[in-house]
Amino acid sequence: MKLAAILLTLAAVSEGSRVLMVLSLGSQSHKNILTPLAESLGRRGHQVTLASLHAAPPNATRSYTDLAATGAWESVKKVTGEFDVFKMREANGGKDVNSQVMKKVLRHLPEYCDAFLRDPGLKKAWETRPDLILLPAFMNECGLAFVHKFKAPFIYVTTSGLTPWTADLVGTPENPAYVPNQYLSYGDQMTLWERTVNTLVRLASPYLRNHLVLNKLEGVVQRALGDPTVSLSELEKNVSMVLVNSHYSLGHPRPLMPNVVEVGAMHCRPARPLQDKALRVFLDSSPVPVVLFSLGSTIRSEQMPARVRESLVEAFRRLPYRVVWKWEGAAIADLPPNVMTRAWLPQQDVLAHKNVRGFVTHGGLLSQQEAVYHNVPMVGLPLMSDQHLNVKQAVTLGLARELTVESLSADSVYEAIKTVVEDPGFQQRVEQRSRLLRDQETTPLDRAVYWSEHVMRHGGAQHLRSVAADMPLHQYFLLDVAAVLLVTAVVLVAVVWWVVRATIRGVLRGLRKTARKLLTAMRTEAKI
């Protein structure tokens, strides 16, 4: 019977299984992480459905079904308003806006989840049971509603590194002595103070996440499904696998369980021919190096303050290079002739061009991976989220220079770009990291496809799950063993002390008895 069940499962997977990917919150770049996997699984004959807040381009050719919760996206925009990171920084006194954004998102997370689960655009996602569900591992736990509804195996996909609570779910060790928390700007060689902070954050973050995310979403999911028994914390314990958007070549080596697979740069690919003829000619005909400027898919260059824009324009004017600028607004009146603007760019195809020698980036993880994959050193201009940590890591590895919005000037931009383009050390180091990133036994995308199909073939991956994930803390850290050893040691010391004490007392009694006998004998002899 077991053999028959296995054969039936294999036959079902080979003919094409149903895969559901759910992104209930996040930017377009988060969707871009899963899109290559959806495409690959679709080309292999699986019926893939990708449900998110963001609709795919209408004319795009896809091997998967794209569902967009457009009503939920409008609800999110009504709450958050126009996402202008520059205005938020100004309103926050020039300080980092991460806490401001996080507070707003956490405050309205139940609203976002409720709107997503009830959106008419996702009707098809509720109609058929999938054989596998994939979810981002943070702020997208709303998607666990589908896991409960269909009782299907699921995989967590991290949009950045391995989060502490996800590591706990699968029993992956995270020793804070050398594994830096992904929300701290630490390396793997930390001072005593950094290790102390790292340890406290490591211990606290899973509990904060349970309180601020899971507990808030649980009631929403219960009401949406009409089932008061739903427990998100219990649901996610059944996670089959974690696909992590990281790779040691761009971070730090660390131990991973077999059900944790690094797929960093899964979206990276060889260049395709540029369809924009004017852009292609601009790059091909350049007698000098070309620099790409882009702030990613969410932050718009047109939103930057006039001071920042003018500094960039002046710096580009002075540079002895050509510049391709992702600029979404109206034409810039005083744009230098060596600069070409485009509202949208095929970023990887531009980065892969032989004449592109520098990349001014906001420091998004996908952009950083693409730059290293295509051998382009960077100038980082981080604005929010994990961008500061990504840029700092790139600087630490010698792949980038860093700029800040507050201190940005034409001189600083000019100097930073000239340095990364003309200093051969930057090119050598990025090429070395690119070789490490590319030198893998299989491609990250192939691994993601293989393990997704592996989970479907076996109806989950309990065989990869370590018992460490279910151990109580006193057992995991061997506190009970330490207690036994301590008690044993105390007992042994007590026994030895008692034996020695008894022996000494016995010897002393014997000596005293002998002394008394001698004294008595001496007195008797004296009388005689």
Side-chain angles (χ1 to χ4, degrees), residues 319-343:
L319 283 172
Y321 317 131
R322 288 186 179 180
V323 178
V324 176
W325 188 351
K326 183 175 178 291
W327 173 267
E328 304 84 359
I332 301 174
D334 55 346
L335 193 69
N338 64 324
V339 179
M340 172 179 281
T341 61
R342 285 292 186 271

PDB file of all heavy atoms in Angstrom, residues 319-343:
ATOM      1  N   LEU A 319      31.113  63.934 -14.533  1.00  0.00           N
ATOM      2  CA  LEU A 319      31.706  62.611 -14.728  1.00  0.00           C
ATOM      3  C   LEU A 319      32.144  62.401 -16.174  1.00  0.00           C
ATOM      4  O   LEU A 319      31.422  62.768 -17.120  1.00  0.00           O
ATOM      5  CB  LEU A 319      30.691  61.522 -14.356  1.00  0.00           C
ATOM      6  CG  LEU A 319      30.451  61.250 -12.871  1.00  0.00           C
ATOM      7  CD1 LEU A 319      29.278  60.298 -12.697  1.00  0.00           C
ATOM      8  CD2 LEU A 319      31.705  60.681 -12.210  1.00  0.00           C
ATOM      9  N   PRO A 320      33.300  61.782 -16.384  1.00  0.00           N
ATOM     10  CA  PRO A 320      33.748  61.477 -17.749  1.00  0.00           C
ATOM     11  C   PRO A 320      33.160  60.155 -18.241  1.00  0.00           C
ATOM     12  O   PRO A 320      33.827  59.375 -18.939  1.00  0.00           O
ATOM     13  CB  PRO A 320      35.270  61.372 -17.581  1.00  0.00           C
ATOM     14  CG  PRO A 320      35.444  60.847 -16.189  1.00  0.00           C
ATOM     15  CD  PRO A 320      34.333  61.459 -15.377  1.00  0.00           C
ATOM     16  N   TYR A 321      31.922  59.860 -17.836  1.00  0.00           N
ATOM     17  CA  TYR A 321      31.252  58.624 -18.211  1.00  0.00           C
ATOM     18  C   TYR A 321      29.866  58.944 -18.762  1.00  0.00           C
ATOM     19  O   TYR A 321      29.395  60.079 -18.681  1.00  0.00           O
ATOM     20  CB  TYR A 321      31.068  57.693 -16.990  1.00  0.00           C
ATOM     21  CG  TYR A 321      32.236  57.568 -16.065  1.00  0.00           C
ATOM     22  CD1 TYR A 321      32.066  57.704 -14.680  1.00  0.00           C
ATOM     23  CD2 TYR A 321      33.508  57.300 -16.555  1.00  0.00           C
ATOM     24  CE1 TYR A 321      33.126  57.580 -13.810  1.00  0.00           C
ATOM     25  CE2 TYR A 321      34.594  57.169 -15.689  1.00  0.00           C
ATOM     26  CZ  TYR A 321      34.393  57.318 -14.317  1.00  0.00           C
ATOM     27  OH  TYR A 321      35.449  57.201 -13.460  1.00  0.00           O
ATOM     28  N   ARG A 322      29.230  57.911 -19.279  1.00  0.00           N
ATOM     29  CA  ARG A 322      27.809  58.014 -19.589  1.00  0.00           C
ATOM     30  C   ARG A 322      27.013  57.453 -18.404  1.00  0.00           C
ATOM     31  O   ARG A 322      27.491  56.569 -17.700  1.00  0.00           O
ATOM     32  CB  ARG A 322      27.463  57.252 -20.867  1.00  0.00           C
ATOM     33  CG  ARG A 322      27.984  57.949 -22.130  1.00  0.00           C
ATOM     34  CD  ARG A 322      27.515  57.256 -23.389  1.00  0.00           C
ATOM     35  NE  ARG A 322      27.993  57.953 -24.570  1.00  0.00           N
ATOM     36  CZ  ARG A 322      27.738  57.587 -25.823  1.00  0.00           C
ATOM     37  NH1 ARG A 322      26.994  56.496 -26.056  1.00  0.00           N
ATOM     38  NH2 ARG A 322      28.219  58.277 -26.840  1.00  0.00           N
ATOM     39  N   VAL A 323      25.793  57.962 -18.240  1.00  0.00           N
ATOM     40  CA  VAL A 323      24.955  57.546 -17.114  1.00  0.00           C
ATOM     41  C   VAL A 323      23.567  57.168 -17.631  1.00  0.00           C
ATOM     42  O   VAL A 323      22.970  57.908 -18.415  1.00  0.00           O
ATOM     43  CB  VAL A 323      24.815  58.683 -16.075  1.00  0.00           C
ATOM     44  CG1 VAL A 323      23.888  58.245 -14.933  1.00  0.00           C
ATOM     45  CG2 VAL A 323      26.182  59.087 -15.535  1.00  0.00           C
ATOM     46  N   VAL A 324      23.087  56.013 -17.185  1.00  0.00           N
ATOM     47  CA  VAL A 324      21.702  55.604 -17.440  1.00  0.00           C
ATOM     48  C   VAL A 324      20.947  55.743 -16.125  1.00  0.00           C
ATOM     49  O   VAL A 324      21.296  55.115 -15.126  1.00  0.00           O
ATOM     50  CB  VAL A 324      21.624  54.145 -17.945  1.00  0.00           C
ATOM     51  CG1 VAL A 324      20.170  53.729 -18.110  1.00  0.00           C
ATOM     52  CG2 VAL A 324      22.377  54.001 -19.257  1.00  0.00           C
ATOM     53  N   TRP A 325      19.914  56.572 -16.124  1.00  0.00           N
ATOM     54  CA  TRP A 325      19.225  56.952 -14.887  1.00  0.00           C
ATOM     55  C   TRP A 325      17.774  56.480 -14.954  1.00  0.00           C
ATOM     56  O   TRP A 325      17.013  56.874 -15.831  1.00  0.00           O
ATOM     57  CB  TRP A 325      19.279  58.479 -14.749  1.00  0.00           C
ATOM     58  CG  TRP A 325      18.783  59.027 -13.444  1.00  0.00           C
ATOM     59  CD1 TRP A 325      18.139  58.370 -12.436  1.00  0.00           C
ATOM     60  CD2 TRP A 325      18.884  60.389 -13.006  1.00  0.00           C
ATOM     61  NE1 TRP A 325      17.849  59.213 -11.401  1.00  0.00           N
ATOM     62  CE2 TRP A 325      18.296  60.466 -11.722  1.00  0.00           C
ATOM     63  CE3 TRP A 325      19.420  61.552 -13.572  1.00  0.00           C
ATOM     64  CZ2 TRP A 325      18.216  61.656 -11.010  1.00  0.00           C
ATOM     65  CZ3 TRP A 325      19.346  62.740 -12.863  1.00  0.00           C
ATOM     66  CH2 TRP A 325      18.759  62.787 -11.586  1.00  0.00           C
ATOM     67  N   LYS A 326      17.365  55.650 -14.011  1.00  0.00           N
ATOM     68  CA  LYS A 326      15.953  55.252 -13.907  1.00  0.00           C
ATOM     69  C   LYS A 326      15.207  56.427 -13.266  1.00  0.00           C
ATOM     70  O   LYS A 326      15.191  56.599 -12.059  1.00  0.00           O
ATOM     71  CB  LYS A 326      15.794  53.984 -13.073  1.00  0.00           C
ATOM     72  CG  LYS A 326      14.352  53.479 -12.992  1.00  0.00           C
ATOM     73  CD  LYS A 326      14.271  52.153 -12.259  1.00  0.00           C
ATOM     74  CE  LYS A 326      12.833  51.672 -12.132  1.00  0.00           C
ATOM     75  NZ  LYS A 326      12.025  52.517 -11.217  1.00  0.00           N
ATOM     76  N   TRP A 327      14.575  57.198 -14.119  1.00  0.00           N
ATOM     77  CA  TRP A 327      13.873  58.428 -13.698  1.00  0.00           C
ATOM     78  C   TRP A 327      12.430  58.342 -14.187  1.00  0.00           C
ATOM     79  O   TRP A 327      12.171  58.222 -15.393  1.00  0.00           O
ATOM     80  CB  TRP A 327      14.574  59.651 -14.291  1.00  0.00           C
ATOM     81  CG  TRP A 327      13.832  60.933 -14.052  1.00  0.00           C
ATOM     82  CD1 TRP A 327      12.926  61.523 -14.883  1.00  0.00           C
ATOM     83  CD2 TRP A 327      13.912  61.759 -12.886  1.00  0.00           C
ATOM     84  NE1 TRP A 327      12.443  62.668 -14.313  1.00  0.00           N
ATOM     85  CE2 TRP A 327      13.035  62.849 -13.077  1.00  0.00           C
ATOM     86  CE3 TRP A 327      14.637  61.700 -11.705  1.00  0.00           C
ATOM     87  CZ2 TRP A 327      12.852  63.853 -12.154  1.00  0.00           C
ATOM     88  CZ3 TRP A 327      14.473  62.707 -10.758  1.00  0.00           C
ATOM     89  CH2 TRP A 327      13.590  63.768 -10.983  1.00  0.00           C
ATOM     90  N   GLU A 328      11.469  58.415 -13.253  1.00  0.00           N
ATOM     91  CA  GLU A 328      10.074  58.184 -13.603  1.00  0.00           C
ATOM     92  C   GLU A 328       9.277  59.467 -13.855  1.00  0.00           C
ATOM     93  O   GLU A 328       8.118  59.393 -14.269  1.00  0.00           O
ATOM     94  CB  GLU A 328       9.375  57.394 -12.477  1.00  0.00           C
ATOM     95  CG  GLU A 328      10.037  56.069 -12.117  1.00  0.00           C
ATOM     96  CD  GLU A 328      11.188  56.215 -11.134  1.00  0.00           C
ATOM     97  OE1 GLU A 328      11.489  57.371 -10.735  1.00  0.00           O
ATOM     98  OE2 GLU A 328      11.789  55.181 -10.789  1.00  0.00           O
ATOM     99  N   GLY A 329       9.824  60.619 -13.587  1.00  0.00           N
ATOM    100  CA  GLY A 329       9.066  61.858 -13.667  1.00  0.00           C
ATOM    101  C   GLY A 329       9.185  62.565 -15.005  1.00  0.00           C
ATOM    102  O   GLY A 329       9.635  62.003 -16.010  1.00  0.00           O
ATOM    103  N   ALA A 330       8.783  63.835 -14.996  1.00  0.00           N
ATOM    104  CA  ALA A 330       8.889  64.666 -16.194  1.00  0.00           C
ATOM    105  C   ALA A 330      10.352  64.892 -16.544  1.00  0.00           C
ATOM    106  O   ALA A 330      11.245  64.745 -15.704  1.00  0.00           O
ATOM    107  CB  ALA A 330       8.197  66.009 -15.948  1.00  0.00           C
ATOM    108  N   ALA A 331      10.598  65.217 -17.805  1.00  0.00           N
ATOM    109  CA  ALA A 331      11.965  65.404 -18.278  1.00  0.00           C
ATOM    110  C   ALA A 331      12.685  66.471 -17.457  1.00  0.00           C
ATOM    111  O   ALA A 331      12.107  67.505 -17.106  1.00  0.00           O
ATOM    112  CB  ALA A 331      11.956  65.799 -19.747  1.00  0.00           C
ATOM    113  N   ILE A 332      13.953  66.210 -17.146  1.00  0.00           N
ATOM    114  CA  ILE A 332      14.773  67.154 -16.383  1.00  0.00           C
ATOM    115  C   ILE A 332      15.327  68.202 -17.348  1.00  0.00           C
ATOM    116  O   ILE A 332      15.994  67.870 -18.331  1.00  0.00           O
ATOM    117  CB  ILE A 332      15.927  66.414 -15.672  1.00  0.00           C
ATOM    118  CG1 ILE A 332      15.345  65.351 -14.726  1.00  0.00           C
ATOM    119  CG2 ILE A 332      16.800  67.385 -14.903  1.00  0.00           C
ATOM    120  CD1 ILE A 332      16.397  64.470 -14.075  1.00  0.00           C
ATOM    121  N   ALA A 333      15.048  69.457 -17.057  1.00  0.00           N
ATOM    122  CA  ALA A 333      15.384  70.542 -17.991  1.00  0.00           C
ATOM    123  C   ALA A 333      16.882  70.654 -18.250  1.00  0.00           C
ATOM    124  O   ALA A 333      17.309  70.847 -19.389  1.00  0.00           O
ATOM    125  CB  ALA A 333      14.829  71.855 -17.458  1.00  0.00           C
ATOM    126  N   ASP A 334      17.677  70.545 -17.198  1.00  0.00           N
ATOM    127  CA  ASP A 334      19.119  70.761 -17.356  1.00  0.00           C
ATOM    128  C   ASP A 334      19.890  69.451 -17.394  1.00  0.00           C
ATOM    129  O   ASP A 334      21.024  69.369 -16.950  1.00  0.00           O
ATOM    130  CB  ASP A 334      19.646  71.637 -16.216  1.00  0.00           C
ATOM    131  CG  ASP A 334      19.308  71.043 -14.843  1.00  0.00           C
ATOM    132  OD1 ASP A 334      18.453  70.131 -14.780  1.00  0.00           O
ATOM    133  OD2 ASP A 334      19.892  71.500 -13.844  1.00  0.00           O
ATOM    134  N   LEU A 335      19.287  68.401 -17.960  1.00  0.00           N
ATOM    135  CA  LEU A 335      19.937  67.092 -18.008  1.00  0.00           C
ATOM    136  C   LEU A 335      21.168  67.142 -18.916  1.00  0.00           C
ATOM    137  O   LEU A 335      21.074  67.585 -20.067  1.00  0.00           O
ATOM    138  CB  LEU A 335      18.957  66.045 -18.520  1.00  0.00           C
ATOM    139  CG  LEU A 335      19.383  64.587 -18.337  1.00  0.00           C
ATOM    140  CD1 LEU A 335      19.363  64.200 -16.864  1.00  0.00           C
ATOM    141  CD2 LEU A 335      18.467  63.662 -19.144  1.00  0.00           C
ATOM    142  N   PRO A 336      22.317  66.704 -18.428  1.00  0.00           N
ATOM    143  CA  PRO A 336      23.536  66.717 -19.256  1.00  0.00           C
ATOM    144  C   PRO A 336      23.407  65.751 -20.433  1.00  0.00           C
ATOM    145  O   PRO A 336      22.661  64.760 -20.365  1.00  0.00           O
ATOM    146  CB  PRO A 336      24.632  66.251 -18.284  1.00  0.00           C
ATOM    147  CG  PRO A 336      24.055  66.445 -16.914  1.00  0.00           C
ATOM    148  CD  PRO A 336      22.583  66.264 -17.056  1.00  0.00           C
ATOM    149  N   PRO A 337      24.139  65.991 -21.512  1.00  0.00           N
ATOM    150  CA  PRO A 337      24.030  65.137 -22.712  1.00  0.00           C
ATOM    151  C   PRO A 337      24.581  63.726 -22.500  1.00  0.00           C
ATOM    152  O   PRO A 337      24.286  62.834 -23.302  1.00  0.00           O
ATOM    153  CB  PRO A 337      24.849  65.904 -23.755  1.00  0.00           C
ATOM    154  CG  PRO A 337      25.779  66.759 -22.967  1.00  0.00           C
ATOM    155  CD  PRO A 337      25.034  67.142 -21.730  1.00  0.00           C
ATOM    156  N   ASN A 338      25.382  63.529 -21.456  1.00  0.00           N
ATOM    157  CA  ASN A 338      25.936  62.191 -21.205  1.00  0.00           C
ATOM    158  C   ASN A 338      25.006  61.315 -20.370  1.00  0.00           C
ATOM    159  O   ASN A 338      25.380  60.226 -19.964  1.00  0.00           O
ATOM    160  CB  ASN A 338      27.298  62.292 -20.509  1.00  0.00           C
ATOM    161  CG  ASN A 338      27.191  62.917 -19.127  1.00  0.00           C
ATOM    162  OD1 ASN A 338      26.381  63.815 -18.898  1.00  0.00           O
ATOM    163  ND2 ASN A 338      28.000  62.444 -18.186  1.00  0.00           N
ATOM    164  N   VAL A 339      23.769  61.810 -20.114  1.00  0.00           N
ATOM    165  CA  VAL A 339      22.823  61.079 -19.274  1.00  0.00           C
ATOM    166  C   VAL A 339      21.587  60.713 -20.088  1.00  0.00           C
ATOM    167  O   VAL A 339      21.014  61.557 -20.784  1.00  0.00           O
ATOM    168  CB  VAL A 339      22.403  61.911 -18.044  1.00  0.00           C
ATOM    169  CG1 VAL A 339      21.403  61.132 -17.188  1.00  0.00           C
ATOM    170  CG2 VAL A 339      23.628  62.292 -17.211  1.00  0.00           C
ATOM    171  N   MET A 340      21.162  59.438 -19.983  1.00  0.00           N
ATOM    172  CA  MET A 340      19.906  58.990 -20.587  1.00  0.00           C
ATOM    173  C   MET A 340      18.977  58.534 -19.470  1.00  0.00           C
ATOM    174  O   MET A 340      19.389  57.798 -18.573  1.00  0.00           O
ATOM    175  CB  MET A 340      20.143  57.832 -21.562  1.00  0.00           C
ATOM    176  CG  MET A 340      18.851  57.195 -22.065  1.00  0.00           C
ATOM    177  SD  MET A 340      19.108  55.835 -23.234  1.00  0.00           S
ATOM    178  CE  MET A 340      19.439  56.788 -24.731  1.00  0.00           C
ATOM    179  N   THR A 341      17.722  58.981 -19.492  1.00  0.00           N
ATOM    180  CA  THR A 341      16.741  58.574 -18.476  1.00  0.00           C
ATOM    181  C   THR A 341      15.725  57.613 -19.093  1.00  0.00           C
ATOM    182  O   THR A 341      15.399  57.709 -20.279  1.00  0.00           O
ATOM    183  CB  THR A 341      16.001  59.786 -17.896  1.00  0.00           C
ATOM    184  OG1 THR A 341      15.288  60.459 -18.944  1.00  0.00           O
ATOM    185  CG2 THR A 341      16.979  60.742 -17.231  1.00  0.00           C
ATOM    186  N   ARG A 342      15.246  56.705 -18.263  1.00  0.00           N
ATOM    187  CA  ARG A 342      14.185  55.779 -18.641  1.00  0.00           C
ATOM    188  C   ARG A 342      13.294  55.551 -17.422  1.00  0.00           C
ATOM    189  O   ARG A 342      13.778  55.392 -16.312  1.00  0.00           O
ATOM    190  CB  ARG A 342      14.753  54.442 -19.118  1.00  0.00           C
ATOM    191  CG  ARG A 342      15.361  54.480 -20.517  1.00  0.00           C
ATOM    192  CD  ARG A 342      14.262  54.697 -21.545  1.00  0.00           C
ATOM    193  NE  ARG A 342      14.743  54.618 -22.917  1.00  0.00           N
ATOM    194  CZ  ARG A 342      15.206  55.653 -23.610  1.00  0.00           C
ATOM    195  NH1 ARG A 342      15.270  56.857 -23.029  1.00  0.00           N
ATOM    196  NH2 ARG A 342      15.580  55.501 -24.860  1.00  0.00           N
ATOM    197  N   ALA A 343      11.966  55.527 -17.630  1.00  0.00           N
ATOM    198  CA  ALA A 343      11.041  55.288 -16.523  1.00  0.00           C
ATOM    199  C   ALA A 343      11.118  53.843 -16.046  1.00  0.00           C
ATOM    200  O   ALA A 343      10.813  53.536 -14.888  1.00  0.00           O
ATOM    201  CB  ALA A 343       9.616  55.630 -16.942  1.00  0.00           C
TER     202      ALA A 343
END
